Amino acid sequence: MLKCRDIESMASEYLDKNLSLRQRMAFKMHLFLCHNCRNYIRQLRTTIESIRLMPQKQPIVIDQHVKNLAQQLKDSTQK
Ligand SMILES: [Zn+2]
């Protein structure tokens, strides 16, 4: 049975899917039983995903729009 600190140390491997099937099962079992680790993993995953998505996912319409506005603002202040 994994301990909470095992979960912490394995968390990034788990999210990167680098654990063996057996490790993953043990990991999930701990998450199932442990509310704290469940929260921890959820937060970690959200953080990692938002970081990973940042450089690639810019062509969302809203983002592009904001970017254009920012550029216009920049241009107008530089004149
Ligand atoms: Zn735990």
Side-chain angles (χ1 to χ4, degrees), residues 20-51:
S20 69
L21 183 64
R22 204 169 153 181
Q23 284 174 313
R24 210 158 59 230
M25 296 290 280
F27 199 98
K28 282 187 171 172
M29 183 57 81
H30 183 100
L31 291 190
F32 182 70
L33 298 171
C34 181
H35 182 71
N36 287 336
C37 287
R38 222 155 45 222
N39 279 342
Y40 172 72
I41 291 297
R42 192 165 55 215
Q43 280 172 17
L44 192 68
R45 177 183 280 143
T46 310
T47 309
I48 289 175
E49 278 175 2
S50 60
I51 290 168

Side-chain angles (χ1 to χ4, degrees), residues 1-8 30 37:
M1 192 66 190
L2 295 173
K3 304 253 181 359
C4 291
R5 64 165 181 275
D6 297 325
I7 297 297
E8 265 183 63
H30 183 100
C37 287

Side-chain angles (χ1 to χ4, degrees), residues 34-79:
C34 181
H35 182 71
N36 287 336
C37 287
R38 222 155 45 222
N39 279 342
Y40 172 72
I41 291 297
R42 192 165 55 215
Q43 280 172 17
L44 192 68
R45 177 183 280 143
T46 310
T47 309
I48 289 175
E49 278 175 2
S50 60
I51 290 168
R52 279 188 186 155
L53 291 179
M54 255 181 236
Q56 301 146 342
K57 275 233 168 174
Q58 277 183 352
I60 298 172
V61 179
I62 297 277
D63 278 8
Q64 193 58 49
H65 193 63
V66 170
K67 236 171 110 184
N68 289 343
L69 283 176
Q71 189 61 46
Q72 280 168 23
L73 209 65
K74 209 173 132 201
D75 290 347
S76 65
T77 52
Q78 276 170 355
K79 273 170 200 164

